Amino acid sequence: MAGEQRRFGDLLLEVLDEMSDPAGLPAAELDARVAELQRRLARVRQEIDAEDAATPALLSEQDVIAFVEQGKRLTHDQQRQLFIDPALRALFRDLKRRNAVTLPAAAGQASGPRFAEMPALIAAATEQGPDFERPFAGGTLRINPVGIDEQVYVVFSFDDPSIVSRVLFVERARDSRIERLDLPPPDDGEIVLIKDLALAGDADLVDLLRDLTTSGDFQR
């Protein structure tokens, strides 16, 4: 902001210097000079806007906290930073772990908590048809056609019906995607979403969930 004010101020001083004694100018000449000043100010404004658009918004720790805790949207540039900045990445992992959905200890499990999560696979399996199923730690993800236009059910079924998850973070490293998905209350251990593949946003999310290289972390 200070830089913009200096550029506008410098331009104003430059034009006033060119006008020398404005009071002695004819009205028509004064109007022409004012119009020229307005054109030059508009041009500087356009240049500043173009520079701002070309500069990606930096991701701060507060942005990461607001994303995790309040669902603040991140630009794709900011999502990319969250993958490559070690300190912000560590903060993101720590915030997720604080609210992660824990699972009952498995038989013969070594010490340490278990979490409801979908680990990313190194290579995706062969393409599945309209009915998609993917197991994860603590349950199963299913995606099935509703039977109405291009709508599909996205169903998260938990092995323990008492589990409640309100948020799912999904990540895909190959294109630096991180999405925060708010979940409705479960019904007998199932969380059901209806998505319309005719809508670009819904289709993109379903594609992300069907990709076995995508990971997911369920949050309380």
Side-chain angles (χ1 to χ4, degrees):
M1 181 61 71
E4 295 178 15
Q5 292 174 342
R6 283 196 298 272
R7 290 176 68 175
F8 282 123
D10 291 344
L11 177 57
L12 181 60
L13 290 174
E14 177 184 336
V15 173
L16 289 175
D17 184 61
E18 293 174 1
M19 293 174 64
S20 61
D21 182 13
L25 293 173
E29 178 67 16
L30 183 59
D31 289 344
R33 296 289 182 90
V34 170
E36 175 63 17
L37 173 59
Q38 291 174 335
R39 285 193 293 271
R40 294 168 72 173
L41 287 172
R43 187 166 60 249
V44 170
R45 175 74 267 171
Q46 291 174 349
E47 292 172 356
I48 291 172
D49 288 343
E51 292 171 2
D52 289 344
T55 303
L58 295 178
L59 183 67
S60 68
E61 291 187 358
Q62 291 304 314
D63 290 327
V64 177
I65 294 171
F67 172 60
V68 173
E69 298 182 352
Q70 302 162 22
K72 176 185 176 181
R73 298 290 298 175
L74 299 182
T75 67
H76 192 221
D77 284 326
Q78 290 177 320
Q79 292 176 40
R80 186 178 296 110
Q81 291 177 53
L82 195 47
F83 271 95
I84 64 177
D85 187 301
L88 294 177
R89 187 72 186 167
L91 172 63
F92 181 52
R93 285 197 301 265
D94 180 62
L95 291 171
K96 286 192 301 178
R97 191 57 76 203
R98 292 180 193 178
N99 291 306
V101 171
T102 56
L103 301 174
Q109 174 191 339
S111 60
R114 294 174 63 227
F115 301 100
E117 56 191 5
M118 292 190 298
L121 302 181
I122 296 176
T126 56
E127 181 68 21
Q128 298 192 37
D131 294 299
F132 174 88
E133 184 170 308
R134 175 183 181 180
F136 59 83
T140 303
L141 163 64
R142 300 194 314 275
I143 300 176
N144 308 107
V146 172
I148 302 175
D149 298 325
E150 296 186 59
Q151 296 181 22
V152 296
Y153 291 114
V154 177
V155 183
F156 301 97
S157 299
F158 292 98
D159 299 334
D160 181 351
S162 67
I163 288 178
V164 175
S165 175
R166 296 303 175 89
V167 172
L168 172 65
F169 287 102
V170 287
E171 304 179 49
R172 187 165 62 191
R174 63 181 171 84
D175 56 353
S176 302
R177 287 286 305 282
I178 302 178
E179 296 292 339
R180 182 186 188 276
L181 179 61
D182 290 315
L183 303 175
D187 182 7
D188 194 24
E190 289 192 341
I191 295 174
V192 181
L193 308 172
I194 298 179
K195 297 297 178 181
D196 189 346
L197 301 183
L199 302 176
D202 283 4
D204 184 57
L205 176 63
V206 171
D207 175 71
L208 195 61
L209 291 171
R210 288 174 65 98
D211 189 339
L212 299 184
T213 66
T214 295
S215 65
D217 295 282
F218 291 92
Q219 307 281 289
R220 297 193 301 271

